[in-house]
């Protein structure tokens, strides 16, 4: 049974989300403020987090920023703020999806199921594989780890999956749309701008000079290419 952390300060919405998710067999822990969300999330006992943006004490952005590099489970932001800049900021901090209020409870359940299933496919059931090596970068598909030199680089699941996909197809240019389809899938209700955000986060972690990337190159008008000699 998957365990979900629900961070929502509106009791009516929290009860609605909880009722629908529990009917699907999920075990729910609900909190109503940002600090409690951080404390619970870092226990490492959850499979997915539903995170309201406007939490008291510590907002959803800050919660996501503080926990994202410590846990790699899916984080779904649930919020009434739907401006593009808010979505990009949330994704840039490591959120996996963005659900706007008011929402259809059936859609919420479907999104949760989709992310849990995709995360399970990404992290489980793989046979031991050799490391993918690109320069001083080593990607370990089985253990879900990335090393730059001797230093481990923490990556959430979508960043890891995107880097791994590019490393498995070196020197090939992929459009943002192709990468979005390969990593997020057709059932994800987002757009290819998500790829740009995640590429930027990966570059910050693996490039020697993120402002002038050489590992993951932008091919203007075409997409992105991971360069390997």
């Amino acid at each position: 049974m998957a365990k979900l952390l629900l961070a929502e300060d509106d009791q009516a919405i929290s009860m609605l989300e909880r009722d629908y998710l529990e009917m699907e067999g999920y075990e729910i822990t609900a909190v109503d403020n940002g600090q409690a969300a951080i404390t619970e999330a870092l226990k490492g006992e959850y499979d997915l987090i539903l995170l309201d943006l406007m939490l008291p004490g510590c907002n959803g952005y800050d919660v996501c920023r503080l926990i994202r590099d410590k846990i790699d489970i899916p984080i779904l932001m649930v919020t009434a703020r739907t401006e593009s800049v808010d979505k990009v900021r949330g994704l840039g901090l490591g959120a996996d999806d963005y659900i706007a209020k008011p929402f259809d409870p059936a859609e919420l359940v479907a999104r949760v199921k989709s992310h849990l299933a995709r995360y399970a496919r990404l992290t489980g059931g793989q046979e031991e594989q050799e490391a993918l090596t690109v320069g001083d970068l080593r990607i370990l598909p089985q253990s879900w780890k990335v090393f730059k030199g001797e230093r481990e680089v923490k990556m959430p699941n979508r960043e890891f999956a995107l880097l791994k996909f590019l490393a498995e197809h070196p020197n090939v240019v992929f459009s943002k749309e192709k990468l979005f389809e390969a990593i997020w899938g057709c059932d994800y209700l987002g757009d290819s701008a998500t790829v740009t955000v995640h590429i930027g986060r990966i570059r910050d972690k693996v490039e020697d000079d993120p402002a002038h990337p050489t590992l993951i190159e932008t091919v203007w008008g075409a997409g992105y290419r991971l360069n390997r000699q």
Side-chain angles (χ1 to χ4, degrees), residues 76-196:
L76 280 63
M77 283 191 167
V78 184
T79 177
R81 299 180 64 173
T82 57
E83 291 84 356
S84 294
V85 65
D86 294 315
K87 294 181 180 179
V88 170
R89 183 182 179 191
L91 293 170
L93 290 171
D96 293 279
D97 203 350
Y98 206 100
I99 303 173
K101 300 176 183 177
F103 55 82
D104 180 348
E107 179 190 350
L108 176 71
V109 171
R111 297 274 195 101
V112 167
K113 285 183 177 179
S114 174
H115 280 280
L116 286 172
R118 190 175 300 278
Y119 184 67
R121 289 196 297 270
L122 288 172
T123 59
Q126 297 175 313
E127 297 180 357
E128 187 64 45
Q129 300 176 43
E130 294 182 0
L132 298 168
T133 303
V134 184
D136 66 346
L137 201 67
R138 289 185 299 124
I139 303 163
L140 308 179
Q142 177 66 18
S143 58
W144 207 253
K145 292 182 178 181
V146 178
F147 290 88
K148 184 172 176 60
E150 298 302 316
R151 176 177 59 87
E152 183 176 356
V153 179
K154 297 292 185 181
M155 286 195 177
N157 62 87
R158 293 297 172 86
E159 291 178 26
F160 181 90
L162 181 54
L163 177 62
K164 174 175 171 286
F165 180 85
L166 289 169
E168 289 173 334
H169 305 86
N171 306 318
V172 177
V173 178
F174 291 97
S175 68
K176 289 188 291 185
E177 292 75 18
K178 179 63 177 179
L179 291 171
F180 183 84
E181 180 181 346
I183 305 303
W184 282 265
C186 298
D187 57 346
Y188 183 86
L189 300 180
D191 57 45
S192 58
T194 303
V195 173
T196 303

Side-chain angles (χ1 to χ4, degrees), residues 202-222:
I202 294 170
R203 283 171 168 166
D204 286 341
K205 297 175 181 180
V206 304
E207 294 280 1
D208 293 329
D209 181 2
H212 301 90
T214 58
L215 178 64
I216 301 177
E217 182 181 358
T218 300
V219 181
W220 295 107

Side-chain angles (χ1 to χ4, degrees), residues 4-7 29 31 33-51 63-64 66-68 70-75:
L4 277 55
L5 176 60
L6 170 58
T29 297
V31 296
N33 65 84
Q35 190 56 54
I38 294 170
T39 300
E40 282 294 324
L42 295 182
K43 289 180 179 180
E45 299 175 350
Y46 298 98
D47 300 293
L48 181 144
I49 298 174
L50 284 164
L51 181 61
V63 173
C64 190
L66 290 168
I67 68 175
R68 179 72 282 181
K70 299 178 177 64
I71 59 174
D72 66 356
I73 62 174
I75 298 176

